[in-house]
Amino acid sequence: MGKIIAIANQKGGVGKTTTAINLAASLAALEHKTLLVDADPQANSSSGLNINPKDVERGIYESMVEGSNPAELIIPTEFNYLDMLPAHIDLAGAEVELINLEGREFRMKEALLKIKDQYEYIIIDCSPSLGLITVNALTAADSVLIPVQCEYFALEGIGKLLHTIQLIQSNLNPELHIEGVLLTMYDSRMRLSNQVVEEVRTHFQDLAFETIIPRNIRLSESPSFGKPVIAHDAISKGAVSYMNLAQEVLERNGTPVTKQL
């Protein structure tokens, strides 16, 4: 039975989709069968793996709203060990449609349970909000990974997210835990970045990943090529950082890293 990790932060621009794509690709590169679920109506995870959302006829929306079997909607990517459950524009309407459905908070969980044993890791890219789709993702997930950018107001809104996680734990998913807090967009030249690192590590202690994701040109430009950074430039700082993150996630989950790149 695979582990489901939701990548969530209602604050936009923190590297959430970048992390979802590149963590999933790095786990796959380490030969762990991985599924990336695009649960963001913007569908950036889909396009980041060279899947045009306009060409997607059925995806996570149909699984949640119509009860379609996700196994029939999964798209293999060009990368070994990595599949995609894509999104399209209709997902934006799912928030409204789910309101009137029975068990509305559990629709994604019910869908992913049908395929959970086919993967070692399922990574969910959540939308930058705490709406019903994100609630579904947190209810379906075993853990949540929180990206935090190394910028001013870095911790702004994190309290609200942690409160939401506590509510999910209390009412919908008692098994949910925090996988870790990931520092992103780090610039070693900026005093502020170093201050944020210190603040986050002081506040979250062992929950903060050792790996820090730097600002990196190759990392920023790889989505325009429809590739994770490891396929765009495997020796770039961004690629190395996400491989380190994948290894850290594996170690936290008691999985030995058997393949070195």
Side-chain angles (χ1 to χ4, degrees):
M1 188 70 80
K3 180 168 188 177
I4 301 177
I5 303 175
I7 314 291
N9 190 331
Q10 80 275 17
K11 196 172 188 295
V14 300
K16 179 180 54 58
T17 295
T18 298
T19 295
I21 293 171
N22 290 292
L23 174 58
S26 297
L27 288 168
L30 291 167
E31 298 185 352
H32 294 274
K33 191 163 175 56
T34 304
L35 175 69
L36 178 57
V37 179
D38 193 345
D40 184 348
Q42 297 177 75
N44 289 332
S45 280
S46 299
S47 58
L49 286 179
N50 205 30
I51 296 168
N52 188 339
K54 295 180 180 178
D55 296 333
V56 174
E57 295 181 0
R58 301 168 72 221
I60 186 64
Y61 169 87
E62 281 71 22
S63 290
M64 293 174 64
V65 176
E66 300 175 5
S68 299
N69 187 344
E72 301 171 0
L73 312 177
I74 288 170
I75 299 175
T77 71
E78 57 190 274
F79 308 103
N80 293 333
Y81 297 95
L82 181 60
D83 290 341
M84 181 89 208
L85 182 54
H88 54 70
I89 194 63
D90 285 354
L91 187 60
E95 292 275 356
V96 177
E97 296 187 52
L98 285 170
I99 289 173
N100 296 318
L101 295 180
E102 185 178 350
R104 62 189 182 184
E105 298 92 352
F106 297 91
R107 305 292 287 198
M108 190 182 296
K109 180 174 185 176
E110 291 170 358
L112 295 183
L113 277 175
K114 298 175 183 177
I115 54 172
K116 191 174 182 181
D117 61 352
Q118 298 174 28
Y119 294 92
E120 291 176 72
Y121 288 92
I122 297 176
I123 307 298
I124 307 174
D125 181 22
C126 298
S127 60
S129 73
L130 295 178
L132 198 45
I133 297 175
T134 299
V135 169
N136 261 267
L138 294 176
T139 302
D142 298 302
S143 66
V144 54
L145 189 154
I146 306 171
V148 176
Q149 83 280 28
C150 295
E151 294 178 357
Y152 197 58
F153 293 137
L155 296 179
E156 185 183 61
I158 293 295
K160 188 174 181 181
L161 174 60
L162 294 176
H163 179 63
T164 299
I165 290 170
Q166 289 173 349
L167 289 175
I168 299 288
Q169 290 169 327
S170 299
N171 300 295
L172 299 168
N173 183 5
E175 304 301 319
L176 181 67
H177 68 273
I178 296 176
E179 187 72 29
V181 176
L182 175 69
L183 288 152
T184 63
M185 303 181 187
Y186 174 74
D187 187 339
S188 60
R189 300 168 300 178
M190 294 179 61
R191 181 184 298 175
L192 177 61
S193 283
N194 292 301
Q195 288 174 341
V196 172
V197 170
E198 185 177 344
E199 184 178 6
V200 168
R201 287 189 164 162
T202 298
H203 186 77
F204 290 102
Q205 299 183 359
D206 291 345
L207 283 177
F209 286 104
E210 287 294 322
T211 302
I212 297 176
I213 308 301
R215 286 193 178 276
N216 180 251
I217 292 174
R218 294 301 194 196
L219 186 58
S220 299
E221 68 187 14
S222 60
S224 66
F225 293 90
K227 295 180 178 179
V229 67
I230 194 173
H232 180 54
D233 185 348
I235 61 172
S236 67
K237 287 184 177 179
V240 171
S241 296
Y242 274 109
M243 284 299 299
N244 289 338
L245 175 64
Q247 293 179 355
E248 202 172 341
V249 168
L250 292 172
E251 289 166 4
R252 287 191 177 198
N253 287 280
T255 306
V257 178
T258 55
K259 180 183 171 92
Q260 299 291 337
L261 297 183

